[in-house]
C-alpha cells in the first residue's frame, strides 16, 4: 500500500511518500534541488545513463568503501 503524509515541523512542511515500490518519471527531466540531498540504499544502489554522466563539485569529492573500488573504461584519464 502507498502512504502519503504531510507533517508540519518547525522548519516547514515535510512531505513523505512510502510504498513497496516508488517510481518517479519525467518525460523531459526530473530536478531535485535542496541545500542537502541524500540518497540511501539498504542493499544496492545503481546510477545508470544511456548518455553522459557528469559529476561536478565546487569542493572535494570523496569515495569511501569498505571493499574494493573498480573502474572499468576504454580509457581512464587522471588529471
Amino acid at each position: 500500500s502507498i502512504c502519503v503524509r504531510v507533517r508540519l515541523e518547525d522548519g516547514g512542511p515535510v512531505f513523505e511518500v512510502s510504498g513497496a515500490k516508488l517510481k518517479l518519471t519525467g518525460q523531459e527531466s526530473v530536478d531535485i534541488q535542496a541545500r542537502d540531498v541524500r540518497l540511501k540504499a539498504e542493499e544496492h544502489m545503481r546510477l545508470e545513463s544511456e548518455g553522459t554522466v557528469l559529476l561536478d563539485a565546487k569542493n572535494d569529492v570523496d569515495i569511501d568503501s569498505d571493499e574494493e573500488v573498480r573502474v572499468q573504461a576504454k580509457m581512464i584519464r587522471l588529471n
Side-chain angles (χ1 to χ4, degrees):
S1 68
I2 295 177
C3 180
V4 177
R5 283 185 223 153
V6 178
R7 295 189 324 264
L8 297 177
E9 295 186 355
D10 292 340
V14 175
F15 181 72
E16 287 184 28
V17 178
S18 61
K21 182 177 179 180
L22 300 175
K23 184 175 182 179
L24 181 60
T25 304
Q27 287 185 338
E28 293 296 322
S29 66
V30 175
D31 296 335
I32 300 172
Q33 184 174 344
R35 185 175 52 88
D36 188 24
V37 176
R38 298 176 193 169
L39 299 175
K40 181 179 180 180
E42 292 183 12
E43 292 186 26
H44 305 283
M45 182 177 292
R46 180 179 185 139
L47 177 62
E48 184 176 332
S49 173
E50 293 190 22
T52 301
V53 174
L54 172 64
L55 177 61
D56 188 4
K58 300 282 185 223
N59 294 311
D60 294 344
V61 174
D62 298 322
I63 299 173
D64 295 317
S65 175
D66 291 339
E67 300 293 331
E68 297 178 1
V69 175
R70 293 177 200 81
V71 178
Q72 291 181 265
K74 180 178 175 182
M75 179 179 292
I76 298 172
R77 298 179 183 189
L78 301 174
N79 294 332

